[in-house]
Coordinates of all heavy atoms in Angstrom, one line a residue:
Chain D
D215 N 20.0 -17.0 41.1 CA 21.3 -17.8 41.3 C 21.7 -17.6 42.7 O 22.1 -16.5 43.2 CB 22.3 -17.2 40.3 CG 23.6 -18.0 40.3 OD1 23.8 -18.7 41.4 OD2 24.3 -18.0 39.4
L216 N 21.6 -18.7 43.5 CA 21.9 -18.6 44.9 C 23.3 -18.2 45.2 O 23.6 -17.5 46.2 CB 21.6 -20.0 45.6 CG 20.1 -20.3 45.6 CD1 19.8 -21.7 45.9 CD2 19.4 -19.3 46.6
T217 N 24.2 -18.7 44.3 CA 25.6 -18.3 44.6 C 25.9 -16.8 44.5 O 26.6 -16.2 45.3 CB 26.6 -19.1 43.7 OG1 26.2 -18.8 42.3 CG2 26.5 -20.6 43.9
V218 N 25.3 -16.2 43.5 CA 25.4 -14.8 43.3 C 24.8 -14.1 44.5 O 25.5 -13.2 45.1 CB 24.8 -14.3 42.0 CG1 24.7 -12.8 41.9 CG2 25.5 -14.9 40.8
V219 N 23.7 -14.5 44.9 CA 23.0 -13.8 45.9 C 23.8 -13.9 47.2 O 24.0 -13.0 48.0 CB 21.6 -14.5 46.1 CG1 21.0 -14.2 47.5 CG2 20.7 -14.0 45.0
R220 N 24.3 -15.1 47.5 CA 25.1 -15.3 48.7 C 26.3 -14.4 48.7 O 26.7 -13.8 49.7 CB 25.5 -16.7 48.7 CG 26.3 -17.1 49.9 CD 26.6 -18.6 49.8 NE 26.8 -19.1 51.1 CZ 27.0 -20.4 51.4 NH1 27.0 -21.2 50.4 NH2 27.2 -20.8 52.6
H221 N 26.9 -14.2 47.5 CA 28.1 -13.4 47.4 C 27.8 -11.9 47.7 O 28.5 -11.2 48.3 CB 28.7 -13.6 46.1 CG 30.0 -12.8 45.9 ND1 31.1 -13.0 46.5 CD2 30.2 -11.6 45.1 CE1 32.1 -12.2 46.2 NE2 31.5 -11.3 45.3
M222 N 26.6 -11.5 47.1 CA 26.4 -10.0 47.1 C 25.5 -9.5 48.3 O 25.7 -8.4 48.7 CB 25.7 -9.7 45.8 CG 26.4 -9.9 44.6 SD 27.8 -8.8 44.4 CE 27.0 -7.3 44.0
A223 N 24.6 -10.3 48.8 CA 23.5 -9.8 49.6 C 23.9 -9.6 51.0 O 24.7 -10.3 51.6 CB 22.3 -10.6 49.5
D224 N 23.2 -8.6 51.6 CA 23.3 -8.4 53.1 C 22.1 -9.1 53.7 O 22.1 -9.6 54.8 CB 23.3 -7.0 53.5 CG 24.5 -6.2 52.9 OD1 25.6 -6.8 53.1 OD2 24.3 -5.2 52.3
R225 N 21.0 -9.1 52.9 CA 19.8 -9.8 53.4 C 19.2 -10.4 52.2 O 19.2 -9.9 51.1 CB 18.9 -8.8 54.1 CG 18.1 -9.5 55.1 CD 17.5 -8.6 56.2 NE 16.5 -9.4 56.9 CZ 16.8 -10.2 57.9 NH1 18.1 -10.4 58.3 NH2 15.9 -10.9 58.5
I226 N 18.6 -11.6 52.4 CA 18.0 -12.3 51.3 C 16.5 -12.7 51.6 O 16.2 -13.1 52.7 CB 18.7 -13.7 51.0 CG1 20.2 -13.4 50.7 CG2 18.1 -14.4 49.9 CD1 21.0 -14.6 50.6
G227 N 15.7 -12.4 50.6 CA 14.3 -12.8 50.7 C 14.0 -13.9 49.7 O 14.4 -13.7 48.5
V228 N 13.4 -15.0 50.1 CA 13.1 -16.1 49.2 C 11.6 -16.0 48.8 O 10.8 -16.0 49.7 CB 13.4 -17.4 49.9 CG1 13.1 -18.6 48.9 CG2 14.9 -17.5 50.3
L229 N 11.4 -16.0 47.6 CA 10.0 -15.9 47.1 C 9.5 -17.3 46.5 O 10.3 -18.0 45.9 CB 9.9 -14.9 46.0 CG 10.0 -13.4 46.5 CD1 10.3 -12.5 45.2 CD2 8.8 -13.0 47.2
Y230 N 8.2 -17.6 46.8 CA 7.7 -18.7 46.1 C 6.2 -18.4 45.8 O 5.4 -18.0 46.6 CB 7.7 -19.9 47.1 CG 7.2 -21.2 46.4 CD1 7.9 -21.9 45.4 CD2 5.9 -21.7 46.7 CE1 7.5 -23.0 44.8 CE2 5.4 -22.9 46.1 CZ 6.2 -23.5 45.2 OH 5.7 -24.6 44.6
L231 N 5.9 -18.5 44.5 CA 4.5 -18.2 44.0 C 4.0 -16.8 44.5 O 2.9 -16.7 45.0 CB 3.5 -19.2 44.5 CG 3.3 -20.4 43.5 CD1 2.2 -21.2 44.1 CD2 2.9 -19.8 42.1
G232 N 4.9 -15.8 44.5 CA 4.5 -14.5 44.8 C 4.6 -14.2 46.3 O 4.2 -13.1 46.7
R233 N 4.9 -15.2 47.1 CA 4.9 -15.0 48.5 C 6.3 -15.0 49.1 O 7.1 -15.8 48.6 CB 4.1 -16.1 49.2 CG 2.7 -16.2 48.7 CD 2.0 -17.3 49.1 NE 0.8 -17.4 48.4 CZ -0.3 -18.2 48.7 NH1 -0.2 -19.0 49.8 NH2 -1.3 -18.3 47.9
L234 N 6.6 -14.1 50.0 CA 7.9 -14.2 50.7 C 7.8 -15.3 51.7 O 7.0 -15.3 52.6 CB 8.1 -12.8 51.4 CG 9.5 -12.5 51.8 CD1 10.5 -12.5 50.7 CD2 9.6 -11.1 52.5
V235 N 8.7 -16.3 51.5 CA 8.6 -17.5 52.4 C 9.7 -17.4 53.5 O 9.5 -18.0 54.6 CB 8.6 -18.8 51.7 CG1 7.4 -19.0 50.8 CG2 9.9 -18.9 50.9
E236 N 10.8 -16.8 53.2 CA 11.8 -16.7 54.2 C 12.7 -15.5 53.9 O 12.9 -15.1 52.8 CB 12.7 -18.0 54.1 CG 13.7 -18.1 55.2 CD 14.3 -19.5 55.4 OE1 13.9 -20.4 54.6 OE2 15.1 -19.7 56.3
E237 N 13.2 -14.9 55.0 CA 14.1 -13.8 54.9 C 15.1 -13.9 55.9 O 14.8 -14.0 57.1 CB 13.3 -12.5 55.0 CG 14.2 -11.3 54.6 CD 13.6 -10.0 55.2 OE1 13.9 -9.7 56.4 OE2 12.9 -9.3 54.5
A238 N 16.4 -13.8 55.5 CA 17.5 -13.9 56.5 C 18.8 -13.4 55.9 O 18.8 -13.0 54.7 CB 17.7 -15.4 56.8
S239 N 19.7 -13.3 56.7 CA 21.1 -12.9 56.2 C 21.6 -14.1 55.5 O 21.2 -15.2 55.8 CB 22.0 -12.5 57.3 OG 22.2 -13.6 58.1
P240 N 22.6 -13.9 54.6 CA 23.1 -15.1 53.8 C 23.6 -16.2 54.8 O 23.3 -17.3 54.5 CB 24.2 -14.5 53.0 CG 24.1 -13.0 53.0 CD 23.2 -12.7 54.1
E241 N 24.3 -15.7 55.8 CA 24.9 -16.7 56.7 C 23.8 -17.6 57.2 O 23.9 -18.9 57.2 CB 25.7 -16.1 57.8 CG 26.9 -15.2 57.4 CD 26.5 -13.9 56.8 OE1 25.4 -13.4 57.1 OE2 27.2 -13.4 55.9
D242 N 22.8 -17.0 57.8 CA 21.7 -17.8 58.4 C 21.0 -18.6 57.3 O 20.7 -19.8 57.5 CB 20.7 -16.8 59.0 CG 21.3 -16.2 60.3 OD1 22.3 -16.7 60.7 OD2 20.7 -15.1 60.7
L243 N 20.7 -18.0 56.2 CA 19.9 -18.7 55.2 C 20.6 -20.0 54.8 O 20.0 -21.0 54.6 CB 19.7 -17.8 54.0 CG 18.6 -18.3 53.1 CD1 17.2 -18.0 53.6 CD2 18.8 -17.7 51.7
F244 N 21.9 -19.9 54.5 CA 22.6 -21.1 54.0 C 22.9 -22.1 55.0 O 23.1 -23.3 54.7 CB 23.8 -20.7 53.2 CG 23.5 -20.0 51.9 CD1 23.1 -18.7 51.8 CD2 23.4 -20.8 50.7 CE1 22.8 -18.1 50.6 CE2 23.0 -20.3 49.5 CZ 22.7 -18.9 49.4
T245 N 23.0 -21.7 56.2 CA 23.4 -22.6 57.3 C 22.3 -23.1 58.1 O 22.1 -24.2 58.5 CB 24.5 -22.1 58.2 OG1 24.1 -20.8 58.6 CG2 25.8 -21.9 57.4
D246 N 21.4 -22.1 58.4 CA 20.3 -22.4 59.3 C 19.0 -22.3 58.6 O 18.1 -21.5 58.9 CB 20.4 -21.5 60.5 CG 19.3 -21.8 61.6 OD1 18.8 -23.0 61.5 OD2 19.1 -21.0 62.5
T247 N 18.8 -23.0 57.5 CA 17.7 -22.9 56.6 C 16.4 -23.3 57.4 O 16.4 -24.4 58.0 CB 17.8 -23.8 55.4 OG1 19.2 -23.7 55.0 CG2 16.9 -23.4 54.3
K248 N 15.4 -22.5 57.4 CA 14.2 -22.8 58.1 C 13.1 -23.3 57.2 O 12.4 -24.3 57.6 CB 13.6 -21.5 58.8 CG 14.6 -20.9 59.8 CD 14.6 -21.7 61.1 CE 15.4 -21.0 62.1 NZ 16.1 -21.9 63.0
H249 N 12.9 -22.7 56.0 CA 11.7 -23.1 55.2 C 12.0 -24.3 54.3 O 13.1 -24.4 53.7 CB 11.3 -21.9 54.3 CG 9.9 -22.0 53.8 ND1 9.6 -22.8 52.8 CD2 8.8 -21.4 54.2 CE1 8.3 -22.7 52.6 NE2 7.8 -21.8 53.4
P250 N 11.1 -25.3 54.2 CA 11.4 -26.4 53.4 C 11.7 -26.1 51.9 O 12.4 -26.7 51.3 CB 10.1 -27.3 53.5 CG 9.3 -26.7 54.6 CD 9.8 -25.3 54.9
Y251 N 11.0 -25.0 51.5 CA 11.2 -24.6 50.1 C 12.7 -24.2 49.9 O 13.4 -24.6 48.9 CB 10.3 -23.5 49.6 CG 10.6 -23.0 48.2 CD1 10.5 -23.8 47.1 CD2 11.1 -21.7 48.1 CE1 10.8 -23.4 45.9 CE2 11.4 -21.2 46.8 CZ 11.2 -22.1 45.7 OH 11.6 -21.6 44.5
T252 N 13.1 -23.3 50.8 CA 14.5 -22.9 50.7 C 15.5 -24.1 50.8 O 16.4 -24.2 50.0 CB 14.8 -21.9 51.9 OG1 13.7 -21.0 52.0 CG2 16.1 -21.1 51.6
K253 N 15.1 -25.0 51.6 CA 15.9 -26.2 51.7 C 16.0 -26.9 50.4 O 17.0 -27.3 49.9 CB 15.4 -27.2 52.8 CG 15.7 -26.7 54.2 CD 15.3 -27.8 55.2 CE 15.5 -27.4 56.6 NZ 14.3 -27.7 57.5
M254 N 14.8 -27.1 49.8 CA 14.8 -27.7 48.5 C 15.6 -27.0 47.4 O 16.3 -27.6 46.7 CB 13.3 -27.8 48.0 CG 13.1 -28.7 46.8 SD 11.7 -28.1 45.9 CE 12.4 -26.8 45.0
L255 N 15.5 -25.7 47.4 CA 16.3 -24.9 46.5 C 17.8 -25.1 46.7 O 18.5 -25.4 45.7 CB 16.0 -23.4 46.7 CG 15.0 -22.7 45.8 CD1 15.1 -21.2 46.0 CD2 15.1 -23.1 44.4
L256 N 18.2 -25.1 47.9 CA 19.6 -25.2 48.2 C 20.1 -26.6 47.8 O 21.2 -26.8 47.2 CB 19.9 -25.0 49.7 CG 19.7 -23.5 50.1 CD1 19.9 -23.4 51.6 CD2 20.6 -22.6 49.4
E257 N 19.2 -27.6 48.0 CA 19.6 -28.9 47.7 C 19.7 -29.1 46.2 O 20.6 -29.8 45.7 CB 18.6 -29.9 48.3 CG 18.7 -31.4 47.9 CD 20.0 -32.0 48.4 OE1 20.5 -31.5 49.4 OE2 20.4 -32.9 47.8
A258 N 18.7 -28.5 45.5 CA 18.7 -28.7 44.0 C 19.8 -28.0 43.3 O 20.3 -28.4 42.2 CB 17.3 -28.3 43.5
A259 N 20.2 -26.9 43.8 CA 21.2 -26.1 43.1 C 22.5 -26.8 43.0 O 23.0 -27.5 44.0 CB 21.5 -24.8 43.9
P260 N 23.1 -26.9 41.8 CA 24.3 -27.6 41.6 C 25.5 -27.0 42.4 O 25.5 -25.8 42.6 CB 24.6 -27.5 40.1 CG 23.8 -26.5 39.6 CD 22.7 -26.2 40.6
R261 N 26.4 -27.8 42.9 CA 27.5 -27.3 43.7 C 28.8 -27.5 43.0 O 29.0 -28.5 42.3 CB 27.5 -28.1 45.1 CG 26.2 -27.8 45.8 CD 26.4 -28.2 47.2 NE 25.0 -28.3 47.8 CZ 24.6 -29.2 48.6 NH1 25.4 -30.2 49.0 NH2 23.4 -29.2 49.0
M262 N 29.7 -26.6 43.3 CA 31.0 -26.7 42.6 C 31.8 -27.9 43.2 O 32.8 -28.3 42.6 CB 31.7 -25.4 42.8 CG 31.1 -24.3 42.1 SD 31.0 -24.5 40.4 CE 32.7 -24.5 39.9
D263 N 31.4 -28.3 44.4 CA 32.2 -29.4 44.9 C 31.4 -30.7 45.0 O 31.8 -31.7 45.6 CB 32.6 -29.0 46.4 CG 31.4 -28.6 47.2 OD1 30.3 -28.6 46.6 OD2 31.6 -28.2 48.3
G264 N 30.3 -30.7 44.2 CA 29.4 -31.9 44.4 C 29.7 -33.0 43.3 O 28.7 -33.4 42.7
F265 N 30.9 -33.4 43.2 CA 31.2 -34.3 42.2 C 30.4 -35.6 42.3 O 30.3 -36.2 43.3 CB 32.7 -34.7 42.2 CG 33.6 -33.6 42.0 CD1 34.2 -33.0 43.0 CD2 33.7 -33.1 40.7 CE1 35.0 -31.9 42.8 CE2 34.6 -32.0 40.5 CZ 35.2 -31.4 41.5
G266 N 29.6 -35.9 41.2 CA 28.9 -37.1 41.2 C 27.7 -37.1 42.2 O 27.2 -38.2 42.4
R267 N 27.4 -36.0 42.7 CA 26.4 -35.9 43.7 C 25.0 -36.3 43.2 O 24.6 -36.0 42.1 CB 26.3 -34.5 44.3 CG 25.3 -34.3 45.4 CD 25.5 -32.9 45.9 NE 24.8 -31.9 45.0 CZ 23.6 -31.4 45.3 NH1 23.0 -31.7 46.3 NH2 23.1 -30.5 44.4
E268 N 24.3 -37.2 43.9 CA 22.9 -37.5 43.5 C 22.1 -36.7 44.4 O 21.8 -37.0 45.6 CB 22.6 -39.0 43.7 CG 23.5 -39.9 42.9 CD 23.0 -40.1 41.5 OE1 21.9 -39.8 41.2 OE2 23.8 -40.5 40.6
A269 N 21.6 -35.5 43.9 CA 20.8 -34.6 44.7 C 19.5 -35.3 45.1 O 19.0 -36.2 44.5 CB 20.5 -33.4 43.9
D270 N 19.0 -34.8 46.3 CA 17.7 -35.2 46.7 C 16.7 -34.6 45.8 O 16.6 -33.3 45.8 CB 17.5 -34.7 48.2 CG 16.9 -35.8 49.0 OD1 16.5 -36.8 48.4 OD2 16.7 -35.6 50.2
L271 N 16.1 -35.3 44.9 CA 15.3 -34.7 43.9 C 14.1 -33.9 44.4 O 13.3 -34.5 45.2 CB 14.9 -35.7 42.8 CG 16.0 -36.1 41.8 CD1 15.4 -36.9 40.7 CD2 16.6 -34.8 41.3

Side-chain angles (χ1 to χ4, degrees):
Chain D
D215 187 336
L216 290 166
T217 55
V218 169
V219 162
R220 179 177 207 174
H221 178 73
M222 297 289 289
D224 298 312
R225 208 158 168 84
I226 300 176
V228 180
L229 288 166
Y230 184 72
L231 266 186
R233 304 170 190 194
L234 194 58
V235 294
E236 185 165 5
E237 188 201 84
S239 66
E241 296 74 30
D242 292 342
L243 192 78
F244 285 84
T245 50
D246 185 14
T247 318
K248 298 284 187 217
H249 200 284
Y251 173 65
T252 318
K253 284 189 185 134
M254 187 206 84
L255 264 191
L256 292 178
E257 173 65 25
R261 295 192 197 142
M262 294 302 290
D263 51 2
F265 297 103
R267 183 175 74 102
E268 298 282 339
D270 222 355
L271 280 189

